[in-house]
Amino acid sequence: MSKPIFERDPSDPERQKINPLLKLALELGPLVVFFFGNSRGEWLAERFPSLGEIGGPIFIATALFMAATVIALVVSWVLTRSLPIMPLVSGVVVLVFGGLTLWLHDEQFIKLKPTIINTLFGVILLGGLFFFKTSLLRYVFDSAFRIDEEGWNKLTFRWGLYFIAMAVVNEIIWRNFSTDFWVAFKVWGFTPLAIVFTMSQMPLIHRHSLEEAPEK
């Protein structure tokens, strides 16, 4: 029987798990590369003329962001022989909108990417919860938290609303501020907000946590 391409259900004992810190690095690494590419775009263009042909810093950052996203997915595949669902969805959107950004030479497409991704994740989480009665958030946090079904449902509902709110915030930022401010906020604003939001959910996680089964 062939192994599934996509990651297994969190309850599947055969599911391969990645170290939480490595998983975090794979998810945040492309964002750091994107920020570096935008802030040091001119420096990179001077040392690598081929990058300079792409365009200004935001376009260089977009190209590097796309490459880093693919590398992160490849590393995840090598380690687990499966593709993580939410990073894969995010990666597809990055490649599509990043490609449009470079092809049409219009930075608006890459700026729309967080809006699309956050809206998509919010709809998927809330839709899975209300229509399929399942918590898709377990695919993301199963290695970090061990909580009961009610806890997963509540946490999924809150994260769904959070993603929708972040889509609105992204629209406000990119439409009203400079590109440099948007890039900085994307890395140093959205990430800390995600950390703060995650920490604010710890009381709920604690209330619904499951006790570890004693070893035989």
Side-chain angles (χ1 to χ4, degrees), residues 100-115:
L100 288 172
T101 298
L102 298 179
W103 182 36
L104 300 175
H105 216 67
D106 188 345
E107 62 188 47
Q108 177 175 319
F109 290 102
I110 198 63
K111 290 179 178 179
L112 279 171
K113 190 269 298 180
T115 299

Side-chain angles (χ1 to χ4, degrees), residues 4 18 34 42-43 76 81 102 105 109 113 166 198 211:
I18 301 179
F34 182 66
E42 295 180 359
W43 179 84
S76 182
R81 293 299 173 184
L102 298 179
H105 216 67
F109 290 102
K113 190 269 298 180
M166 290 300 99
T198 301
E211 294 183 1

